[in-house]
Amino acid sequence: MKRILVATEKPFASVAVEGIKKIVEGSNNKFILLEKYTDKAELLEAVADVNAIIIRSDKITEEVISAAKKLEIVVRAGAGYNNVDLKASSDNRIVVMNTPGQNSNAVAELALSMMVFAARGFFNGKPGSELKGKKLGIHAFGHVGKIVAKIAKGFGMEVYAFDPFIPADIISEEGAIPCKSVEDLYASCQYISLHIPANEKTKDSINFDLLSKMPKGGTLINTARKEVIHEADMIKLMTKRADFKYVSDIAPVDTDSFTQFEGRYYFSPKKMGAQTLEANVNAGLAAANQIVKYFATGDETFKVN
Ligand code: 3PG
């Protein structure tokens, strides 16, 4: 019998938790739950004797890993795994997986709703504008980017995309216009929706040079990660360009510096992209199934380290 912990500072919907419990107990393993913890010490204590952990944006650091002596597998119920120390995991022979695609629809719907919110002046009662006929650039064309393209076309937007890892013909097949370079994407589109992962290459990559290429009324929608934005450059750009708007599901580090741009920015108080009942069930159950399968058969599909 393996001990499987769900450790979520931001909890899943209760239906998802029930579903995970059923999968874990149905395979004769022990289900353990740590939700809404406020102190790292609670996590360190909870991981002490578990064999597997299901997390969301919870940080699995070297410290957590050394406190989890029996840990064999961590599954990030979601896409981005920059919250897990992959090196420390590999050094300790711990398998790390994610659940790609399982919460993508929720994130894509939020990206489009943030676009509408910005276009309508954050619902300030004054005349805004419509998305129809406007150009949208999708930066990274993975699971989320592809759904954003589909929904945006429903709005009547002209959809462009750039992804260094996805060939132009695949982008065209999905109904978007491929751009030759990231600079080309930003120069062509009034709206940009960001879907790049956070890693050493992308950190601070959304900088002044790139953002300043955006046409008048430029609006950046970030449902990805705050780390990819060069924050000082974003502040510089918004100071110089009174037409520019920034909407993010992830608040920057220096939120206070943005108060000078009233009416041109919005940051969710808590990351909401994947916070739907459906996404919680899809990602949570997928994570539980992947762990059970790994213990039963050694299946390492979705391993990221
Ligand atoms: C992801 O990477 O899957 C999303 O950012 C969701 O993160 P969350 O599970 O912390 O809401």
Side-chain angles (χ1 to χ4, degrees):
M1 179 192 278
K2 301 286 187 184
R3 296 172 65 80
I4 302 174
L5 169 73
V6 172
T8 47
E9 180 271 317
K10 180 174 62 186
F12 287 123
S14 52
V15 183
V17 178
E18 279 311 306
I20 296 170
K21 188 168 187 268
K22 221 167 154 181
I23 293 168
V24 169
E25 292 178 348
S27 54
N28 291 321
N29 292 300
K30 172 93 179 141
F31 173 81
I32 305 150
L33 182 62
L34 173 69
E35 282 184 329
K36 297 187 200 167
Y37 59 92
T38 49
D39 198 316
K40 190 175 60 181
E42 292 176 74
L43 179 63
L44 293 175
E45 195 189 325
V47 301
D49 62 351
V50 301
N51 308 103
I53 314 178
I54 295 173
I55 50 157
R56 297 186 63 178
S57 290
D58 307 80
K59 289 190 173 55
I60 301 297
T61 57
E62 203 168 357
E63 187 184 9
V64 174
I65 286 167
S66 47
K69 297 278 180 263
K70 297 180 183 160
L71 190 59
E72 296 169 66
I73 177 167
V74 174
V75 179
R76 192 279 192 247
Y81 46 85
N82 58 312
N83 48 320
V84 181
D85 187 328
L86 294 188
K87 186 180 178 303
S89 302
S90 302
D91 288 350
N92 288 278
R93 295 166 173 258
I94 296 163
V95 169
V96 181
M97 294 183 186
N98 65 350
T99 65
Q102 298 291 347
N103 58 19
S104 307
N105 191 66
V107 180
E109 285 190 11
L110 189 82
L112 262 297
S113 55
M114 285 182 143
M115 246 172 269
V116 173
F117 190 40
R120 297 300 181 97
F122 304 105
F123 302 158
N124 63 1
K126 296 178 188 155
S129 60
E130 300 179 17
L131 296 183
K132 187 175 174 183
K134 305 298 187 304
K135 292 179 179 170
L136 165 66
I138 302 176
H139 189 173
F141 207 61
H143 292 283
V144 182
K146 286 183 182 122
I147 304 172
V148 168
K150 205 177 288 175
I151 306 174
K153 286 182 82 77
F155 272 91
M157 297 185 91
E158 213 177 296
V159 181
Y160 295 77
F162 173 77
D163 190 317
F165 305 104
I166 302 204
D169 54 332
I170 305 281
I171 291 177
S172 305
E173 274 168 30
E174 297 281 339
I177 302 160
C179 283
K180 286 191 302 293
S181 65
V182 69
E183 290 78 12
D184 198 23
L185 183 82
Y186 280 66
S188 310
C189 302
Q190 179 184 348
Y191 290 89
I192 293 283
S193 191
L194 261 186
H195 303 290
I196 55 176
N199 55 41
E200 277 316 305
K201 285 211 173 97
T202 60
K203 192 171 179 287
D204 292 334
S205 64
I206 310 305
N207 55 26
F208 184 82
D209 282 353
L210 193 57
L211 292 168
S212 57
K213 295 194 186 319
M214 289 181 74
K216 193 162 188 297
T219 301
L220 182 78
I221 308 293
N222 182 9
T223 53
R225 291 291 182 271
K226 66 170 181 282
E227 290 82 0
V228 302
I229 306 289
H230 191 299
E231 236 178 85
D233 276 14
M234 176 61 90
I235 293 164
K236 181 173 151 194
L237 181 98
M238 290 185 80
T239 308
K240 287 188 187 260
R241 289 225 355 217
D243 63 301
F244 194 90
K245 290 181 187 166
Y246 179 41
V247 185
S248 179
D249 191 27
I250 310 97
V253 177
D254 182 11
T255 317
D256 289 351
S257 289
F258 285 84
T259 53
Q260 59 182 309
F261 309 124
E262 209 195 319
R264 293 199 281 132
Y265 76 98
Y266 173 81
F267 306 134
S268 313
K270 195 130 195 143
K271 186 154 59 116
M272 291 298 292
Q275 200 59 326
T276 65
L277 176 64
E278 295 87 343
N280 287 180
V281 169
N282 292 342
L285 269 55
N289 282 320
Q290 286 172 213
I291 290 174
V292 166
K293 199 166 174 193
Y294 174 73
F295 284 136
T297 68
D299 188 311
E300 291 191 346
T301 312
F302 305 119
K303 184 178 172 198
V304 296
N305 65 331

